[in-house]
Each structure stands twice: as C-alpha cells, then as structure tokens.
C-alpha cells in the first residue's frame, strides 16, 4: 500500500494560482498511477487530474479547461506529485485528495484504492 500526504492548500482569490503537492511513500510508490480528486459538500467526488506511473500520459477532468497541470517526480523511495492550478475560480473550491492505484486505464472513470487525507482549497470571488 502507498501512503499519500497532501500539502499546499489554502485561501486564494479568484484569478490566483496555487500549487498542490503530494508525497507518495511506502512500497514501490513509483509503480502507482497518481492523481487528484475534489470533494465539495453535498456533491460526489470529482476527478480532477491523473498521471501514469511513467508520466507518459496525463488526463484532466471537465473542470480543468486548460488551467491545471499535473506532474510527478519519481525518486527511489518517494514520489512527489504536483498539481499546478492557474486562473482559479470560486467553483474550484473544495477538498483536494491525492489518490493512487497500480491499476489505471486512463480517463476520469477511476476508483483508486489509496487516498490521502485531503487539503482544503478555497477560492474567494
């Protein structure tokens, strides 16, 4: 199992940029596809972005509209996942969860097995 710890959330204004990070550790974290989901109270968790284990492919949710960039840096014992978010909107507000799974076929239809604790992002208008 992989352990996922997020950081970088906070309160920003509309139009600002924010970078979220996630550290993946545990048993062979580089073998996991990683990504981000967003949770808004009263709504289902929404797929935000994902990246394959080798970083050769990336996928984005409908809300991205070219504003987000996901990347990863694989190291021997840890992986650092980053989500760069630009031109933030109030509707980007939510809890962002770092997720991972060894099995990922691509696209937003994904039920990852590992979840972090989440980090709050609030975008004020």
């Amino acid at each position: 199992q992989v352990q996922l710890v997020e950081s970088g959330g906070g309160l920003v204004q509309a139009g600002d940029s924010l970078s979220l990070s996630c550290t993946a550790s545990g048993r062979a974290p580089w073998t996991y596809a990683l990504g981000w989901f967003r949770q808004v109270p009263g709504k289902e968790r929404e797929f935000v972005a994902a990246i394959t284990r080798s970083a050769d492919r990336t996928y984005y949710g409908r809300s991205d509209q070219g504003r987000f960039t996901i990347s990863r840096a694989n190291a021997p014992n840890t992986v650092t996942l980053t989500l760069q978010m630009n031109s933030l909107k109030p509707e980007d507000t939510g809890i962002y969860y770092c997720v991972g799974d060894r099995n990922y076929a691509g696209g937003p239809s994904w039920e990852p097995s590992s979840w972090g604790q989440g980090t709050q992002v609030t975008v004020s208008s």
Side-chain angles (χ1 to χ4, degrees):
Q1 192 78 355
V2 67
Q3 288 78 51
L4 304 170
V5 179
E6 305 95 337
S7 63
L11 172 63
V12 296
Q13 293 186 335
D16 286 351
S17 297
L18 193 65
S19 180
L20 303 182
S21 293
C22 172
T23 298
S25 60
R27 187 171 184 178
W30 60 88
T31 63
Y32 284 73
L34 299 173
W36 297 90
F37 277 69
R38 177 173 61 229
Q39 174 77 68
V40 177
K43 295 186 178 181
E44 292 187 358
R45 285 175 176 173
E46 177 186 5
F47 173 84
V48 175
I51 187 167
T52 55
R53 66 182 72 181
S54 61
D56 60 337
R57 284 171 290 175
T58 57
Y59 302 88
Y60 295 93
R62 289 178 296 177
S63 61
D64 163 62
Q65 300 173 345
R67 299 179 295 125
F68 298 171
T69 302
I70 189 171
S71 61
R72 66 186 287 163
N74 292 340
N77 296 309
T78 62
V79 176
T80 300
L81 179 72
T82 301
L83 182 69
Q84 178 65 41
M85 303 185 292
N86 300 323
S87 302
L88 283 164
K89 305 175 182 179
E91 50 263 44
D92 295 320
T93 294
I95 299 174
Y96 283 71
Y97 293 92
C98 178
V99 300
D101 200 299
R102 286 197 171 105
N103 299 311
Y104 177 52
S109 298
W110 187 25
E111 295 184 0
S113 58
S114 298
W115 292 72
Q117 296 286 342
T119 185
Q120 176 71 45
V121 173
T122 303
V123 184
S124 63
S125 59

